[in-house]
């Protein structure tokens, strides 16, 4: 802080003017203008928003296309200070000492100070004009991680690492094909051109030759490799092969099946370098030793490899070997400008057997699979469409790049594999044009796509990452999804299933479905559930397999049934109920079951809480005792007590008996019996056993005996539990007294015609008795 104050004290002696700001700031600087890459600017635009601070010259960064800016990211920066200083600097200044070739003097400086809430300067920019425009960037010594982006005509060309030190930079230079060259630079660019940038920032580009070796290109597309020399070789299996080895870098191509089992296509490229593996995969995914990187069009360096990504694909560059690899999901192009490439690997003249990479190949990669010919492929038409490479406008490139290998690759692939999922002749035409553009020439074949109706390139399935047994594809609406590879899916399709068999454990069950098979059916796994709507499938983030499960703690609406000596757990995977009037989606339901021997289902045993329930009842002139008792035998000799375990589907007999009544005058009628999952007889979850004096016709396990004939009756039923519930069961019965005098009190329970017993009696105070069970 002392150094900052000292600097401000010295600066104040020469400050002509200053202004503070907190967000958008515009200032006319015509009395001390700034030159920036060949153009003079009389205005400066500074913006501080959401941790991003930008200093621009054409307008505010996000409001002006092709802007020229310096930008820095730091959330501590919340305000700024602009000033103009009148200082005469000569050839002995710190600018001249730190910038080679700088000469002349400067009389003024335009300054931007970016500050925190305490007005402490975090980073400052001093713009000066000598024989060339320059900037000095000075960070607060306590800040260690400042990075300043140099944006020229809307493209980030450089990143300045300002790590606790002052950085001096020219604000001019030469830009060529997305690269920045400092004044007085001379050498070869990434494509082999001879590039010279004069001290006055004038660019001279020459052809490749002795000083700059011409580039050599190897293209891998579909199942074919177009070698450095132009020969074509086809890969017949799903193995990995070394493409080339050059200066300690080995490139490996991995081939995999997609929609057909008998055709493999390029799936990923692996770069091995000094124990490090860099995977370039579909969707623009790049992994370094298994860690996924977040990339942009600004190269990031990892282990000596520069990695970048844009809308067309991923690029890896090896500066030491002057080699680069571009991969867009279907095509890989390997380019080297470091002289004659190594002839090792498939890009050279080696055979498949010599270059198989065992470490990156599966044990079954050479197994052959047969499929029927695709009758939709017209090879004659395919040949005609691939032969357009022999015609204009491609003829302009014939003297630089031979089209025949690309025509051969186009025909070989598209006569065997359908033009789907973005794999079409346009891929091969694009690869040819890219190979041509790598050669030193001003002819870029611009506009060729409109001649052959090919859309602009974009990385296929960008940022859609699939599992090892999937590949990315787009449906007819253009939406990308992960679809099953043919070999993986064949074991399910042959059995007409969508996943693995049910896995049954003693107290749980699960079903696992393949997410890619669901995608093919147009089914969103997140819309599926079990009988209980809240029980959803869980997708594994790595394999994309979806698992549905239930157990004794969360039964998810499982229905439990008995079949002789077995108990059956039944559930179903179904689509979320449609809430609209109509639906255009197919109905979806998968039933699954687990079978257990009854002795194994100990968790499904119920015990009675009270061996008998006794109540004193007063109803008009009647005063009597009502007893409810459960038995395990039809003769009602074996009383069920609190230690007796009753299994699901086991028969239970319940007796309702009164004392204190004359059976010659009065009969007891059980009007209704029902079960709830709560102690209240009015619970919302209810199951009827006896209705209107008769057994529930929907439950054939219920039998009612002696109802309305005397002062007791009993009924039987098979033990049950509520679906999706594992708690207690409460059995409620409502009884009435019926005076016999010349009346029939027994209900008529004929299935064709039922006569309600209620018309035969009137009880001022019907009895209600409840028995509780627990499991």
């Amino acid at each position: 802080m002392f150094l900052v104050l000292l600097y401000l004290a010295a600066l104040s002696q020469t400050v002509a003017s200053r202004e503070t700001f907190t967000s958008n700031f515009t200032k006319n600087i015509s009395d001390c203008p700034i030159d920036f890459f060949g153009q003079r600017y009389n205005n400066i635009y500074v913006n501080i928003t959401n941790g991003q601070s930008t200093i621009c010259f054409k307008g505010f960064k996000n409001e002006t296309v092709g802007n020229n800016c310096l930008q820095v990211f730091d959330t501590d920066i919340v305000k700024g200070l602009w000033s103009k200083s009148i200082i005469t600097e000569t050839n002995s200044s710190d600018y001249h000492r730190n910038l080679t070739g700088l000469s002349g003097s400067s009389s003024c400086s335009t300054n931007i100070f970016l500050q925190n809430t305490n007005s402490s300067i975090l980073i400052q920019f001093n713009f000066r004009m000598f024989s060339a425009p320059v900037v000095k960037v000075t960070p607060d010594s306590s800040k260690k991680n400042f990075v300043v982006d140099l944006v020229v005509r809307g493209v980030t060309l450089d990143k300045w690492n300002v790590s606790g030190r002052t950085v001096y930079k020219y604000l001019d230079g030469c830009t060529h094909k997305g690269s920045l060259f400092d004044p007085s630079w001379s050498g070869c660019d990434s494509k082999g051109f001879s590039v010279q940038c004069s001290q006055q920032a004038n660019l001279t580009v020459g052809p490749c030759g002795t000083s700059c070796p011409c580039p050599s290109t190897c293209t891998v597309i579909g199942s074919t490799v177009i070698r450095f020399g132009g020969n074509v070789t086809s890969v017949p299996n799903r193995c990995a092969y070394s493409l080339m080895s050059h200066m300690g870098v080995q490139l490996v191509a991995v081939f995999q099946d997609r929609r057909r089992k008998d055709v493999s296509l390029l799936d990923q490229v692996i770069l091995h370098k000094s124990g490090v593996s860099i995977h370039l995969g579909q969707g623009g995914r790049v992994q370094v030793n298994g860690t996924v990187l977040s990339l942009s069009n600004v190269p990031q360096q990892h282990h000596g490899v520069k990695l970048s990504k844009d809308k067309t694909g991923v690029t890896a560059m090896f500066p030491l070997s002057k080699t680069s690899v571009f991969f867009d999901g279907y095509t890989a192009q390997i380019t080297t400008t470091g002289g004659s490439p190594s002839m090792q690997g498939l890009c050279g003249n080696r055979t498949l057997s010599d270059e198989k990479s065992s470490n990156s190949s599966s044990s079954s990669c050479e197994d052959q699979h047969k499929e029927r010919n695709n009758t939709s492929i017209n090879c004659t038409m395919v040949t005609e469409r691939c032969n357009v490479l022999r015609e204009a406008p491609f003829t302009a490139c014939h003297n630089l790049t031979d089209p025949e290998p690309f025509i051969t690759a186009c025909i070989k692939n598209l006569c065997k594999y359908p033009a789907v999922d973005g794999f079409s002749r346009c891929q091969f035409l694009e690869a040819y044009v890219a190979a041509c553009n790598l050669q030193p020439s001003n002819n870029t074949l611009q506009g060729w796509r409109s001649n052959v109706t090919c859309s602009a390139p974009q990385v296929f399935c960008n940022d859609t990452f699939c599992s090892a047994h999937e590949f990315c594809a787009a449906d007819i609406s253009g939406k990308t999804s992960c679809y099953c590879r043919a070999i993986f899916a064949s074991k399910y399709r042959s059995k007409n299933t969508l996943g693995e068999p049910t896995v049954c454990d003693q107290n749980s069950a699960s079903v696992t479905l393949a997410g890619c098979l669901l995608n093919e059916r147009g089914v969103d796994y997140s819309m599926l559930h079990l009988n209980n709507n809240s029980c959803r499938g869980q997708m594994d983030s790595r394999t994309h397999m979806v698992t549905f499960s239930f157990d004794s703690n969360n039964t998810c609406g499982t229905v439990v049934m008995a079949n002789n000596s077995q108990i059956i757990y039944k559930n179903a995977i179904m689509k979320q109920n449609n809430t609209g009037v109509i639906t255009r989606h197919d109905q979806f339901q998968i039933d699954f079951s687990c079978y257990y021997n009854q002795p194994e289902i100990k968790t499904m045993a119920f015990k009675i809480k009270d061996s008998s329930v006794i109540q004193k009842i007063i109803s008009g002139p009647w005063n009597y005792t009502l007893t409810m008792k459960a038995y395990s035998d039809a003769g009602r000799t074996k009383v069920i007590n609190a230690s007796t375990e009753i299994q699901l589907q086991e028969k239970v007999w319940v007796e309702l008996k009164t004392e204190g009544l004359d059976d010659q005058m009065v009969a007891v009628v059980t009007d209704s019996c029902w079960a709830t999952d709560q102690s209240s007889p009015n619970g919302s979850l209810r199951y009827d056993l006896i209705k209107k004096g008769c057994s529930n016709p929907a439950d054939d396990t219920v039998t009612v005996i002696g109802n309305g004939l005397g002062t007791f009756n009993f009924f039987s039923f098979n033990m049950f539990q509520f679906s999706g519930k594992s708690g207690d069961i409460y059995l409620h019965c409502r009884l009435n007294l019926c005076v016999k005098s010349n009346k029939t009190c027994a209900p008529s329970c004929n299935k064709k015609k039922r006569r309600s017993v209620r018309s035969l009696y009137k009880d001022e105070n019907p009895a209600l008795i409840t028995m509780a069970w627990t499991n």
Side-chain angles (χ1 to χ4, degrees), residues 158-176:
D158 202 3
K159 285 181 174 290
W160 303 338
N161 185 10
V162 185
S163 301
R165 61 189 180 90
T166 299
V167 172
Y168 298 81
K169 292 288 184 179
Y170 279 105
L171 290 180
D172 64 353
C174 304
T175 59
H176 173 60

Side-chain angles (χ1 to χ4, degrees), residues 515-541:
C516 55
L517 290 172
L518 294 174
N519 282 339
E520 290 178 6
R521 296 281 187 92
V523 176
D524 181 353
Y525 86 94
S526 66
M527 301 296 291
L528 302 179
H529 58 82
L530 297 180
N531 285 345
N532 186 328
N533 190 279
S534 65
C535 293
R536 303 300 177 103
Q538 300 299 314
M539 174 174 281
D540 186 288
S541 60

Side-chain angles (χ1 to χ4, degrees), residues 30 35 126 129 225 232 267 301 319 385-386 405 447 471 487 534 561 569 686:
S30 56
D35 282 12
N126 305 110
M129 182 65 190
V225 179
V232 176
D267 195 68
Q301 185 151 318
R385 292 173 64 82
C386 294
F471 67 94
I487 295 174
S534 65
M561 300 184 303
Y569 283 13
R686 169 175 175 147

